[in-house]
Amino acid sequence: MKEQEVTLQVALEHGLTEQEFSTICSILGRTPNFTELGVFSVMWSEHCSYKNSRAWLKKFPTTGPSVMVKAGDENAGIIDIGDGLAVSFKIESHNHPSAVEPFQGAATGIGGIIRDIFTMGARPIALMNSLRFGKLSAPNVRRLLDGVVRGISHYGNCIGIPTVGGEIYFDSTYEGNPLVNVFCLGILKHEDIALGKASGVGNSVYYVGAATGRDGIHGATFASEELNEASEDRRPSVQVGDPFMEKLLVEACLELLQTDAVVGIQDMGAAGLTCSTCETASRGGAGIEIELAKVPQREKGMIPYEILLSESQERMLVIVKKGSESEVEAIFDKWDLHAVNIGQVTDDGKMRVKFHGETVVDVPAKALADEAPVYHRAFKEPAYYKQQQIINLANVREPVSYAATFKSLLSNPSIASKKWVYEQYDHMVMTNTVVLPGKADAAVIRLKGTEKLLAITTDCNGRYCYLDPYIGGQIAVAEAARNVVCSGGKPIGVTDCLNFGNPMKEEIFWQFKNCIEGVADACKAFNIPVTGGNVSFYNENPRGAVDPTPVIGLVGLIESQNHVTTAGFKNAGDTIILLGPLDSTIGGSEYLAQEHGIKGGKLPEFDMKLEKAVQSFCYELIKNGLVKSAHDCAEGGLAVTLAECAIIGSEKGMHLGAKVALPDTGNRADSILFGERQSRIIITVNKEHTENIVKQAQQKQIPANIIGSVVSDRFELKYANKVLIEESVSSIHDIYYSALEVSLS
Amino acid sequence: MIKFGVVMFPGSNCDHDCFYAVQQFFSDQVDFIWHKSTDVHGYDCIVLPGGFSYGDYLRTGAIARFSPVMSEVKKFASAGKPVIGICNGFQILLESGLLPGAMLRNTSLRFICKYVHIKPVNFSTPFSKGLKKNEAIHIPVAHGEGNYYIDDEGLKKLQKNNQIVFQYCNERGIVSDDFNPNGSVANIAGICNEAGNVLGMMPHPERCCDPMLGSSDGKRIFESLLQSLNQRQTV
C-alpha cells in the first residue's frame, strides 16, 4: 500500500462526508495526512462512533441500583448480582464478515465478544448466538449456515467457553445478508473490575498478543456500508481468528489483572490499534504516544496507515504502572505471548503516533473517540405499514387438515429442534451447564461457590418488528423476559444488537426509531437496565433491507437451584394450565407465512400490563415450588407450544403427551391453535394444586385456563369439542428432532 | 489422602473442570502441574485433561507430547502409577506412545457434544475395578477427533491383553454401530496400556460427577480409582 496525498476526493473514498472532512481540517487546523485521515475515517465510521444511532440510543434506560458499569462507558456493562459478585455481558454483530466468509466471520465474532468481556476483568463463562439466515432451499444459505456453525464451533470449543444456547430463524428476508449476533457473559468479583483507560503520565503502554498483519484493514468501514456483488472483493477486510492465541490471552490477562500492575486494559477490536489507543486516552483524560516500529508485525513493509488500521485478531493494549514492567513481562512470558512496550501515557490529550521516530499522527484523542458528529436522521412511515394493518385475514382459508398443518409447522426449521447445531458446540465445558440446550426457554448455568444460577436468553422476531416496529420491539424484550421467568429467573439486565438496513433511507430509519422506542419502553416497564450492545446498519442485499431485527440478550438471576424450571412435561396426571389469554389472531404468525405465504396482518393485541402480570405470577408460582414445567407460547402458537412440552419432556422409552381441550371462544380454530398472541405461558402443576392456582390467578385478574392434563404417549388437541390433532408422541418427537437435518440433506 | 496432579498445557480447557471435580468430590489434595514443570514427585495420580493443547493445529496432541512434563509423566507411568487422559489427554497419550492407536476425525466430520452411554468391559484396571458388568454409564462426549483407529492386528492385541476398557453402547448396555458416535473401531471409548495403569478415554467423567448437571455416573470411575489407590496404600 502507498500513501496518498489527501484531498476531499480521498476523504470521500474513505466514507467521510464533505462536512466531516472540513470538521477534521478545522479540528487539526490543517489538512490531515493520509494516516490521520485513515484514523479519522474508522473512528468516525458508524461502526465505531454510532453517529447515526447515538441520539436514539439515549432512549434506553441505563441506570439502576445494580448497574456497576453503565452502557457506553466501557467495552461492556457490569451488573451486581450480590455476594460480592457481578456479571459482565454483551451482544455484538458480525454480519458483514459472515456474509462473505462465514467461517472466519463467525469465528472472529466470537473472539471479539470474548475480548470485550475479559477486558472488564471478568472470566467469560458462557457464549450464545442469535442467527438469521435465508430459506434453506437456497444453496448459498446452506453454505452460510454450515460455515457460520463451523466457525462458532471452531472458536468457542477450542477456547473452552461453553455455547449454552441461542436461536436461529430462517426467512427469505435474510438471504444474502445473514445476521450473526454473538453474546458472551463473564463473571467477576466486585474488586476485580478493570477499565479501559490510560492515565498516569509516564505509565507504559504495552502491546500484547498476536502480531499485526494486513488483515481486516477497514473492517469497521466495511461494516458501515451495504452488501452488494462487489462485497466479495471485501474478503480481505475479514480477519482470521486464532482461538488458541486468544485462550492464552484470556488466561494471561486474567492472571495479570490479579496483580496491581495494570492501570487500564482494552482489546483491539474494530479499528485495532487506533481505537484502543485513542479510546483509552480519551477515557483517562490523558494523551498517549506510541512507536509503531515496535509493534510486532508478521508482514514486511507495512506502512503506518496499515499498522494502525489493521484488525488482526487476538491483540490487547495494556497500560502498565511505571515500575511494574518486569512483573507484566514475566506473566506474558509464562504464557509465551508477545508483550512489547510501545509507548507511554502523556498529559497533552494527544494521540501521537511515531514511526521510526517520525511523528505520523498528532491528533486530539478526544476528538477521535468522543467527538464524532451526531446525526439526527430523517424518518418516514413506509407505505407498507398501514397496508399491512388493514389486510383482511377473514379471507384466509382454514387448513383442510389441522394435523398436517401442525406437523408441517413442527418441521419448520425456525421452529424445529436445533439439535443439529448445538451438538456441534461444546455446551458443557466448565461444568456449569445445569440445563442443556433445547430443554428450557433459557439457558441455565450455575455459579460455582454460590447458591445462585443465571438464566440467559436471546430473542427477537424480525417479522413482528417489520409489521409493527414499536410493538415488535416491545415483544422482543417481553418474550426474552418471559423466557427467563419460565426458567425460574428474575431479569436483571439487557444487551441489544440492533440489526437494520441503511439508515440513510427514511423508511429504514423509521423502523429503527420505532423499534428502539419499543425496546426502551419495554425495558422501562420491566425495570431492566440496558447495559450495552451494538448497532449494525446497512444490512441489505441488492433486493432490499432485512427485516428490522433488534435482538435482545437478557440475563436473569435464579436464586436457588430449586427454582430452575424446564419446558418439558414431568409426570402423567399433572394438570396443564394456560396462563394468559386463550384467544388470538393469526396476524404476523409463522402459520400465516408458511401455510398461506402472507407476511402480514395486524399483530395480535399486546398489553404490557397483562404481560407483566402473567410473568410475575408465573415467577411467584415457581418460587413457591408449584410449577413442574413452564414454556413460553411463541412461534407456532398453542399447538406447537404444547407439542414442544410433550417432546422435550419425553425420554427414550418414556413418552409424555397431552390430552387438551380448548373451550370454544367463538373464533376460528386456526387462530386458537396457531395464533401467536403474547403474554402466554403453559405450565403444568400437580393436580392437587390446580384449584388453588386458578383461584389465585382470578384474584389477580390474570386469565388462567385449565386446558388438559399430561398423559402417556398420546398427543390430542381438541377445540370446541372437536379433535383437531391426534398423534403419537414418538411420531412428533421424530419430526421435531430430525426436521432440520432433513431439510439440510 | 490421595494426591492428584492435573497437567495444564497451553490450550487445555478442561483442566479447571478436572481440578474442581476432584476437589469437590474425591480429594482435597489436588494441584495443577504446569506443562513446563519437570517435577511430578508426590502425586498418586496424574490427570491429562481435555482441551485443545497448542490449539491442536497440527494433529491433536502432537505438540503437547513434547512438553517437558511429558517425559516425567512417562516415568510416572512406567513406575506403575495411574495416569488418566481424558479427551485431548487421551490424544496426547496416543501421540506420546503411552497407548497404541491413533485418532481420526469423527465420521460426521463435525464436532460432537452430547451425552452417550459407555459400557465397562475390563474390570482389572484401577479405574474400572469398582464398576459393574453390563452397566451403562451416562456420560458426555465433546470432540471433533474421537474416532479411535487401530489396525486389525493391533485390535487383536488389545483384545488379547484385555486393554479395551470402555465401549460405546445404548442405555441398556448393548454395543452396536447404531450407538457409535464417532466411528471408533469396535466402539472403543477408552483403552489402557498393557499394565492397566494408564487409561485414555474420549468421554468426560469430570463433566458428570455432580447430579446437578444431569448425571453423576462419572463419579464411579474416580471412586473406583480411589478405592484401588487406598487399598494399595493400606497394603
Side-chain angles (χ1 to χ4, degrees):
Chain A
M1 192 169 195
K2 268 194 185 148
E3 295 200 3
Q4 287 170 265
E5 193 190 336
V6 174
T7 59
L8 174 60
Q9 184 55 36
V10 175
L12 295 177
E13 282 162 15
H14 274 72
L16 292 164
T17 65
E18 188 173 349
Q19 178 61 46
E20 286 167 354
F21 181 60
S22 98
T23 308
I24 293 166
C25 293
S26 71
I27 286 173
L28 297 179
R30 60 180 165 84
T31 304
N33 64 36
F34 185 63
T35 309
E36 290 169 335
L37 181 74
V39 163
F40 267 104
S41 78
V42 286
M43 288 310 296
W44 284 16
S45 70
E46 175 60 35
H47 192 80
C48 290
S49 74
Y50 297 102
K51 58 189 173 189
N52 294 307
S53 54
R54 206 192 280 198
W56 285 97
L57 298 178
K58 292 206 172 103
K59 295 254 173 192
F60 291 142
T62 55
T63 53
S66 62
V67 177
M68 299 181 75
V69 172
K70 205 157 72 46
D73 286 356
E74 288 284 337
N75 289 288
I78 295 183
I79 296 273
D80 181 11
I81 57 165
D83 298 333
L85 294 172
V87 287
S88 181
F89 54 89
K90 189 177 173 183
I91 190 165
E92 210 168 56
S93 65
H94 237 218
N95 306 339
H96 285 65
S98 304
V100 293
E101 216 300 72
F103 181 91
Q104 290 297 348
T108 53
I110 302 288
I113 196 67
I114 292 170
R115 285 195 299 281
D116 274 336
I117 299 307
F118 76 77
T119 296
M120 301 306 298
R123 173 167 286 278
I125 57 168
L127 292 169
M128 305 261 280
N129 52 77
S130 174
L131 312 176
R132 302 288 184 281
F133 297 96
K135 293 271 188 195
L136 278 171
S137 45
N140 195 43
V141 169
R142 293 179 184 217
R143 182 184 73 90
L144 290 173
L145 172 69
D146 183 68
V148 166
V149 171
R150 281 184 193 278
I152 292 170
S153 165
H154 164 72
Y155 209 104
N157 297 352
C158 179
I159 201 164
I161 302 166
T163 300
V164 295
E167 43 159 6
I168 309 182
Y169 284 83
F170 300 93
D171 190 298
S172 50
T173 182
Y174 303 107
E175 206 174 313
N177 196 129
L179 302 186
V180 176
N181 293 181
V182 290
F183 170 100
C184 182
L185 176 140
I187 182 141
L188 70 162
K189 292 184 189 147
H190 288 181
E191 63 268 27
D192 289 344
I193 293 180
L195 300 176
K197 65 171 182 60
S199 59
V201 176
N203 282 336
S204 298
V205 177
Y206 270 78
Y207 170 110
V208 185
T212 296
R214 287 191 171 93
D215 48 338
I217 291 174
H218 273 304
T221 323
F222 171 45
S224 307
E225 63 187 30
E226 282 178 37
L227 292 176
N228 51 41
E229 284 81 3
S231 298
E232 279 293 307
D233 303 338
R234 283 295 203 170
R235 210 178 287 244
S237 288
V238 181
Q239 315 86 345
V240 176
D242 177 355
F244 171 59
M245 175 65 85
E246 180 131 320
K247 168 73 176 164
L248 301 182
L249 266 185
V250 175
E251 298 303 336
C253 289
L254 290 178
E255 189 173 329
L256 180 67
L257 288 169
Q258 289 302 310
T259 69
D260 284 331
V262 179
V263 176
I265 182 166
Q266 167 125 354
D267 80 299
M268 295 187 212
L273 197 49
T274 297
C275 182
S276 56
T277 47
C278 71
E279 279 193 359
T280 48
S282 179
R283 282 196 201 107
I288 205 162
E289 184 177 302
I290 56 170
E291 169 54 71
L292 291 182
K294 292 185 183 165
V295 170
Q297 294 160 45
R298 58 161 199 267
E299 289 181 66
K300 276 190 181 150
M302 291 175 74
I303 61 171
Y305 181 100
E306 293 171 311
I307 301 170
L308 275 172
L309 266 52
S310 161
E311 291 188 8
S312 290
Q313 298 288 292
E314 291 92 24
R315 303 178 301 161
M316 302 289 289
L317 193 78
V318 186
I319 314 297
V320 173
K321 267 186 201 155
K322 203 171 181 179
S324 299
E325 289 84 354
S326 57
E327 191 181 357
V328 171
E329 286 171 17
I331 288 174
F332 287 112
D333 187 51
K334 172 186 164 188
W335 291 96
D336 296 324
L337 288 167
H338 281 296
V340 186
N341 189 334
I342 59 166
Q344 63 280 322
V345 178
T346 64
D347 61 359
D348 62 2
K350 290 285 188 71
M351 172 183 169
R352 193 173 300 106
V353 180
K354 295 187 171 177
F355 189 51
H356 296 291
E358 188 191 329
T359 300
V360 292
V361 173
D362 192 352
V363 173
K366 218 173 176 52
L368 278 171
D370 297 323
E371 288 166 11
V374 173
Y375 297 119
H376 297 267
R377 294 283 167 214
F379 50 85
K380 188 172 88 190
E381 185 181 295
Y384 79 81
Y385 178 62
K386 287 247 162 59
Q387 289 161 12
Q388 291 300 342
Q389 305 281 323
I390 54 168
I391 285 188
N392 186 0
L393 297 175
N395 298 332
V396 171
R397 277 181 34 203
E398 278 197 56
V400 181
S401 159
Y402 272 87
T405 302
F406 164 70
K407 283 190 276 190
S408 92
L409 275 170
L410 262 191
S411 59
N412 176 326
S414 293
I415 288 175
S417 166
K418 309 298 183 291
K419 178 167 155 275
W420 180 84
V421 175
Y422 62 69
E423 283 190 351
Q424 297 184 52
Y425 304 149
D426 191 340
H427 47 262
M428 300 187 223
V429 64
M430 289 191 155
T431 59
N432 294 323
T433 316
V434 169
V435 174
L436 298 178
K439 291 288 184 191
D441 289 4
V444 177
I445 56 170
R446 66 169 169 186
L447 299 172
K448 286 182 185 131
T450 78
E451 292 296 305
K452 291 172 179 164
L453 304 92
L454 295 174
I456 317 170
T457 187
T458 62
D459 222 306
C460 181
N461 184 310
R463 189 186 307 122
Y464 299 168
C465 292
Y466 170 81
L467 294 174
D468 194 326
Y470 178 73
I471 292 181
Q474 280 189 309
I475 289 176
V477 177
E479 193 174 339
R482 210 183 309 132
N483 288 339
V484 160
V485 164
C486 286
S487 308
K490 188 178 161 51
I492 56 168
V494 155
T495 174
D496 55 351
C497 195
L498 307 168
N499 306 276
F500 290 83
N502 182 343
M504 305 300 172
K505 297 178 184 166
E506 294 180 356
E507 284 91 351
I508 298 291
F509 208 78
W510 179 85
Q511 292 177 336
F512 176 72
K513 163 203 164 275
N514 281 284
C515 274
I516 288 215
E517 287 177 330
V519 168
D521 285 353
C523 288
K524 283 176 199 156
F526 284 108
N527 203 12
I528 317 172
V530 174
T531 67
N534 163 235
V535 179
S536 172
F537 281 131
Y538 304 96
N539 289 291
E540 305 220 356
N541 59 40
R543 280 170 296 113
V546 300
D547 283 350
T549 313
V551 173
I552 300 300
L554 196 142
V555 177
L557 192 61
I558 304 178
E559 283 171 11
S560 145
Q561 193 198 339
N562 300 329
H563 301 167
V564 174
T565 306
T566 54
F569 291 146
K570 298 297 179 301
N571 304 98
D574 288 345
T575 308
I576 304 172
I577 299 177
L578 167 65
L579 297 181
L582 176 61
D583 253 333
S584 179
T585 64
I586 53 176
S589 65
E590 194 68 37
Y591 158 73
L592 193 56
Q594 177 186 300
E595 297 296 310
H596 302 284
I598 300 173
K599 178 181 176 175
K602 192 169 160 44
L603 295 181
E605 187 189 335
F606 177 72
D607 172 3
M608 185 55 90
K609 226 173 107 195
L610 175 65
E611 176 72 50
K612 277 179 65 182
V614 167
Q615 288 191 21
S616 61
F617 185 58
C618 182
Y619 182 61
E620 286 309 312
L621 292 179
I622 288 175
K623 285 218 297 189
N624 292 332
L626 295 172
V627 177
K628 289 202 181 177
S629 72
H631 190 22
D632 147 51
C633 184
E635 285 81 8
L638 273 178
V640 164
T641 305
L642 286 161
E644 286 171 346
C645 295
I647 293 162
I648 295 167
S650 295
E651 304 269 340
K652 241 183 216 153
M654 207 268 301
H655 284 149
L656 288 175
K659 201 169 153 60
V660 171
L662 301 169
D664 193 349
T665 67
N667 270 325
R668 292 164 49 144
D670 57 353
S671 66
I672 300 292
L673 262 57
F674 307 129
E676 296 176 10
R677 179 133 176 213
Q678 299 297 304
S679 321
R680 304 197 287 180
I681 298 172
I682 297 284
I683 60 169
T684 55
V685 304
N686 195 317
K687 209 171 173 182
E688 65 191 42
H689 297 137
T690 312
E691 243 172 79
N692 175 26
I693 289 170
V694 172
K695 213 158 94 195
Q696 279 185 50
Q698 275 164 353
Q699 281 165 1
K700 297 185 172 171
Q701 295 178 325
I702 293 164
N705 279 289
I706 299 167
I707 57 169
S709 54
V710 179
V711 298
S712 59
D713 205 41
R714 296 300 298 166
F715 184 78
E716 184 191 294
L717 193 51
K718 264 191 199 167
Y719 172 61
N721 284 320
K722 227 170 115 188
V723 176
L724 296 176
I725 296 167
E726 198 180 6
E727 297 289 335
S728 77
V729 174
S730 66
S731 77
I732 58 173
H733 188 275
D734 289 351
I735 292 172
Y736 181 74
Y737 282 113
S738 63
L740 183 54
E741 223 175 322
V742 168
S743 38
L744 284 168
S745 61
Chain B
M1 191 55 99
I2 305 296
K3 192 171 179 186
F4 285 81
V6 178
V7 177
M8 256 181 158
F9 296 99
S12 291
N13 64 29
C14 302
D15 44 353
H16 286 271
D17 299 353
C18 289
F19 187 98
Y20 180 83
V22 167
Q23 194 181 45
Q24 202 70 10
F25 299 105
F26 312 112
S27 173
D28 293 341
Q29 298 280 307
V30 51
D31 294 332
F32 285 118
I33 305 173
W34 187 238
H35 67 110
K36 292 175 188 169
S37 164
T38 50
D39 182 11
V40 298
H41 183 77
Y43 295 106
D44 300 301
C45 174
I46 289 179
V47 182
L48 303 184
F52 289 70
S53 54
Y54 295 92
D56 280 344
Y57 288 137
L58 184 54
R59 282 188 318 276
T60 53
I63 297 185
R65 80 176 175 102
F66 293 110
S67 280
V69 75
M70 282 311 294
S71 50
E72 298 308 308
V73 171
K74 279 185 181 169
K75 285 182 211 156
F76 186 89
S78 60
K81 294 181 182 171
V83 175
I84 175 169
I86 301 164
C87 199
N88 194 227
F90 185 9
Q91 293 160 341
I92 295 167
L93 289 173
L94 295 173
E95 285 290 335
S96 56
L98 281 167
L99 293 173
M103 281 299 169
L104 306 178
R105 291 187 68 191
N106 299 343
T107 42
S108 66
L109 302 182
R110 292 179 188 278
F111 192 94
I112 298 169
C113 175
K114 64 175 184 183
Y115 264 95
V116 298
H117 288 90
I118 57 171
K119 175 185 176 168
V121 287
N122 166 336
F123 303 90
S124 56
T125 78
F127 313 95
S128 58
K129 244 178 210 168
L131 303 177
K132 292 193 199 82
K133 266 185 189 148
N134 286 323
E135 76 172 302
I137 294 171
H138 197 214
I139 190 167
V141 291
H143 56 247
E145 296 186 25
N147 178 357
Y148 178 76
Y149 179 76
I150 194 161
D151 59 18
D152 286 346
E153 202 179 320
L155 180 64
K156 273 183 203 142
K157 219 172 137 196
L158 283 183
Q159 286 162 336
K160 188 173 141 258
N161 296 332
N162 196 20
Q163 285 175 260
I164 301 174
V165 183
F166 296 112
Q167 285 178 298
Y168 297 109
C169 62
N170 73 354
E171 70 280 6
R172 283 174 290 142
I174 294 166
V175 176
S176 97
D177 281 352
D178 293 346
F179 316 116
N180 186 339
N182 50 30
S184 291
V185 165
N187 279 39
I188 286 173
I191 57 167
C192 63
N193 61 350
E194 284 188 38
N197 65 312
V198 177
L199 170 71
M201 63 189 294
M202 286 315 290
H204 289 270
E206 82 281 8
R207 291 191 184 186
C208 53
C209 287
D210 196 332
M212 192 179 180
L213 301 179
S215 167
S216 53
D217 285 4
K219 246 174 142 171
R220 304 181 34 69
I221 294 168
F222 287 102
E223 278 163 357
S224 171
L225 174 66
L226 284 183
Q227 216 180 353
S228 313
L229 286 170
N230 280 326
Q231 274 168 6
R232 201 182 295 179
Q233 280 192 348
T234 32
V235 174

